[in-house]
mmCIF file of all heavy atoms in Angstrom:
data_model
loop_
_atom_site.group_PDB
_atom_site.id
_atom_site.type_symbol
_atom_site.label_atom_id
_atom_site.label_comp_id
_atom_site.label_asym_id
_atom_site.label_seq_id
_atom_site.Cartn_x
_atom_site.Cartn_y
_atom_site.Cartn_z
ATOM 1 N N MET B 29 -13.535 -2.220 -23.010
ATOM 2 C CA MET B 29 -12.432 -3.120 -23.347
ATOM 3 C C MET B 29 -12.789 -4.561 -23.024
ATOM 4 O O MET B 29 -13.574 -4.833 -22.115
ATOM 5 C CB MET B 29 -11.185 -2.750 -22.545
ATOM 6 C CG MET B 29 -10.608 -1.391 -22.852
ATOM 7 S SD MET B 29 -9.160 -1.051 -21.822
ATOM 8 C CE MET B 29 -7.892 -1.932 -22.722
ATOM 9 N N ALA B 30 -12.142 -5.484 -23.764
ATOM 10 C CA ALA B 30 -12.260 -6.901 -23.455
ATOM 11 C C ALA B 30 -11.316 -7.227 -22.293
ATOM 12 O O ALA B 30 -10.331 -6.514 -22.051
ATOM 13 C CB ALA B 30 -11.894 -7.734 -24.665
ATOM 14 N N VAL B 31 -11.613 -8.304 -21.588
ATOM 15 C CA VAL B 31 -10.836 -8.697 -20.413
ATOM 16 C C VAL B 31 -9.361 -8.855 -20.755
ATOM 17 O O VAL B 31 -8.484 -8.342 -20.058
ATOM 18 C CB VAL B 31 -11.393 -10.006 -19.816
ATOM 19 C CG1 VAL B 31 -10.490 -10.513 -18.705
ATOM 20 C CG2 VAL B 31 -12.810 -9.806 -19.309
ATOM 21 N N THR B 32 -9.087 -9.532 -21.863
ATOM 22 C CA THR B 32 -7.695 -9.751 -22.259
ATOM 23 C C THR B 32 -6.966 -8.438 -22.497
ATOM 24 O O THR B 32 -5.805 -8.287 -22.116
ATOM 25 C CB THR B 32 -7.654 -10.607 -23.543
ATOM 26 O OG1 THR B 32 -8.419 -11.790 -23.333
ATOM 27 C CG2 THR B 32 -6.233 -10.991 -23.882
ATOM 28 N N ASP B 33 -7.652 -7.492 -23.114
ATOM 29 C CA ASP B 33 -7.029 -6.200 -23.385
ATOM 30 C C ASP B 33 -6.817 -5.408 -22.096
ATOM 31 O O ASP B 33 -5.824 -4.698 -21.959
ATOM 32 C CB ASP B 33 -7.890 -5.401 -24.363
ATOM 33 C CG ASP B 33 -7.966 -6.087 -25.716
ATOM 34 O OD1 ASP B 33 -7.020 -6.829 -26.049
ATOM 35 O OD2 ASP B 33 -8.970 -5.896 -26.425
ATOM 36 N N VAL B 34 -7.750 -5.544 -21.173
ATOM 37 C CA VAL B 34 -7.561 -4.887 -19.884
ATOM 38 C C VAL B 34 -6.301 -5.425 -19.217
ATOM 39 O O VAL B 34 -5.486 -4.675 -18.671
ATOM 40 C CB VAL B 34 -8.778 -5.123 -18.958
ATOM 41 C CG1 VAL B 34 -8.476 -4.658 -17.538
ATOM 42 C CG2 VAL B 34 -10.011 -4.405 -19.479
ATOM 43 N N ALA B 35 -6.120 -6.729 -19.317
ATOM 44 C CA ALA B 35 -5.008 -7.377 -18.617
ATOM 45 C C ALA B 35 -3.656 -7.056 -19.238
ATOM 46 O O ALA B 35 -2.629 -7.101 -18.553
ATOM 47 C CB ALA B 35 -5.221 -8.888 -18.603
ATOM 48 N N GLU B 36 -3.650 -6.722 -20.500
ATOM 49 C CA GLU B 36 -2.407 -6.634 -21.256
ATOM 50 C C GLU B 36 -1.325 -5.763 -20.608
ATOM 51 O O GLU B 36 -0.187 -6.217 -20.442
ATOM 52 C CB GLU B 36 -2.722 -6.182 -22.690
ATOM 53 C CG GLU B 36 -1.590 -6.393 -23.678
ATOM 54 C CD GLU B 36 -0.695 -5.171 -23.740
ATOM 55 O OE1 GLU B 36 -1.185 -4.055 -23.503
ATOM 56 O OE2 GLU B 36 0.506 -5.352 -24.012
ATOM 57 N N PRO B 37 -1.614 -4.531 -20.203
ATOM 58 C CA PRO B 37 -0.535 -3.698 -19.660
ATOM 59 C C PRO B 37 -0.056 -4.100 -18.268
ATOM 60 O O PRO B 37 0.968 -3.583 -17.809
ATOM 61 C CB PRO B 37 -1.162 -2.297 -19.626
ATOM 62 C CG PRO B 37 -2.623 -2.519 -19.621
ATOM 63 C CD PRO B 37 -2.854 -3.783 -20.357
ATOM 64 N N PHE B 38 -0.746 -4.991 -17.607
ATOM 65 C CA PHE B 38 -0.373 -5.335 -16.235
ATOM 66 C C PHE B 38 0.572 -6.523 -16.196
ATOM 67 O O PHE B 38 0.519 -7.395 -17.061
ATOM 68 C CB PHE B 38 -1.622 -5.643 -15.398
ATOM 69 C CG PHE B 38 -2.516 -4.453 -15.216
ATOM 70 C CD1 PHE B 38 -3.620 -4.270 -16.031
ATOM 71 C CD2 PHE B 38 -2.249 -3.514 -14.235
ATOM 72 C CE1 PHE B 38 -4.443 -3.167 -15.873
ATOM 73 C CE2 PHE B 38 -3.067 -2.410 -14.064
ATOM 74 C CZ PHE B 38 -4.163 -2.236 -14.891
ATOM 75 N N GLU B 39 1.409 -6.522 -15.192
ATOM 76 C CA GLU B 39 2.362 -7.619 -15.054
ATOM 77 C C GLU B 39 1.839 -8.655 -14.076
ATOM 78 O O GLU B 39 2.514 -9.049 -13.124
ATOM 79 C CB GLU B 39 3.705 -7.079 -14.585
ATOM 80 C CG GLU B 39 4.337 -6.165 -15.616
ATOM 81 C CD GLU B 39 5.803 -5.928 -15.338
ATOM 82 O OE1 GLU B 39 6.213 -6.119 -14.170
ATOM 83 O OE2 GLU B 39 6.528 -5.556 -16.273
ATOM 84 N N MET B 40 0.610 -9.047 -14.312
ATOM 85 C CA MET B 40 0.079 -10.131 -13.485
ATOM 86 C C MET B 40 -0.792 -10.994 -14.365
ATOM 87 O O MET B 40 -1.107 -10.627 -15.509
ATOM 88 C CB MET B 40 -0.682 -9.580 -12.283
ATOM 89 C CG MET B 40 -1.970 -8.885 -12.586
ATOM 90 S SD MET B 40 -2.814 -8.249 -11.106
ATOM 91 C CE MET B 40 -1.806 -6.861 -10.647
ATOM 92 N N SER B 41 -1.172 -12.134 -13.834
ATOM 93 C CA SER B 41 -1.885 -13.106 -14.655
ATOM 94 C C SER B 41 -3.261 -12.601 -15.063
ATOM 95 O O SER B 41 -3.833 -11.722 -14.432
ATOM 96 C CB SER B 41 -2.039 -14.407 -13.873
ATOM 97 O OG SER B 41 -2.922 -14.202 -12.792
ATOM 98 N N LEU B 42 -3.739 -13.191 -16.127
ATOM 99 C CA LEU B 42 -5.091 -12.879 -16.578
ATOM 100 C C LEU B 42 -6.109 -13.221 -15.511
ATOM 101 O O LEU B 42 -7.083 -12.482 -15.300
ATOM 102 C CB LEU B 42 -5.370 -13.677 -17.860
ATOM 103 C CG LEU B 42 -6.701 -13.435 -18.553
ATOM 104 C CD1 LEU B 42 -6.830 -11.984 -18.967
ATOM 105 C CD2 LEU B 42 -6.845 -14.350 -19.749
ATOM 106 N N ALA B 43 -5.874 -14.321 -14.815
ATOM 107 C CA ALA B 43 -6.816 -14.725 -13.764
ATOM 108 C C ALA B 43 -6.919 -13.656 -12.684
ATOM 109 O O ALA B 43 -8.009 -13.374 -12.174
ATOM 110 C CB ALA B 43 -6.392 -16.059 -13.158
ATOM 111 N N ALA B 44 -5.794 -13.065 -12.347
ATOM 112 C CA ALA B 44 -5.806 -12.017 -11.328
ATOM 113 C C ALA B 44 -6.643 -10.831 -11.786
ATOM 114 O O ALA B 44 -7.466 -10.297 -11.030
ATOM 115 C CB ALA B 44 -4.384 -11.569 -11.016
ATOM 116 N N ILE B 45 -6.439 -10.429 -13.040
ATOM 117 C CA ILE B 45 -7.224 -9.325 -13.587
ATOM 118 C C ILE B 45 -8.700 -9.686 -13.609
ATOM 119 O O ILE B 45 -9.562 -8.868 -13.285
ATOM 120 C CB ILE B 45 -6.729 -8.959 -14.994
ATOM 121 C CG1 ILE B 45 -5.286 -8.437 -14.922
ATOM 122 C CG2 ILE B 45 -7.635 -7.933 -15.633
ATOM 123 C CD1 ILE B 45 -5.119 -7.138 -14.190
ATOM 124 N N SER B 46 -8.976 -10.916 -13.967
ATOM 125 C CA SER B 46 -10.363 -11.375 -13.985
ATOM 126 C C SER B 46 -11.006 -11.213 -12.607
ATOM 127 O O SER B 46 -12.149 -10.767 -12.488
ATOM 128 C CB SER B 46 -10.408 -12.830 -14.433
ATOM 129 O OG SER B 46 -11.730 -13.314 -14.447
ATOM 130 N N LYS B 47 -10.238 -11.542 -11.581
ATOM 131 C CA LYS B 47 -10.758 -11.359 -10.223
ATOM 132 C C LYS B 47 -11.010 -9.884 -9.919
ATOM 133 O O LYS B 47 -12.036 -9.529 -9.343
ATOM 134 C CB LYS B 47 -9.758 -11.913 -9.202
ATOM 135 C CG LYS B 47 -9.759 -13.421 -9.064
ATOM 136 C CD LYS B 47 -8.864 -13.811 -7.887
ATOM 137 C CE LYS B 47 -8.632 -15.302 -7.831
ATOM 138 N NZ LYS B 47 -7.744 -15.667 -6.694
ATOM 139 N N HIS B 48 -10.071 -9.049 -10.321
ATOM 140 C CA HIS B 48 -10.256 -7.617 -10.089
ATOM 141 C C HIS B 48 -11.520 -7.119 -10.782
ATOM 142 O O HIS B 48 -12.275 -6.326 -10.224
ATOM 143 C CB HIS B 48 -9.046 -6.847 -10.608
ATOM 144 C CG HIS B 48 -7.870 -6.880 -9.675
ATOM 145 N ND1 HIS B 48 -7.961 -6.475 -8.353
ATOM 146 C CD2 HIS B 48 -6.586 -7.256 -9.840
ATOM 147 C CE1 HIS B 48 -6.774 -6.597 -7.771
ATOM 148 N NE2 HIS B 48 -5.923 -7.087 -8.650
#
Side-chain angles (χ1 to χ4, degrees):
Chain B
M29 295 179 81
V31 173
T32 307
D33 296 333
V34 170
E36 195 270 331
F38 295 97
E39 295 195 338
M40 69 180 73
S41 68
L42 184 60
I45 296 294
S46 179
K47 282 188 190 179
H48 281 305

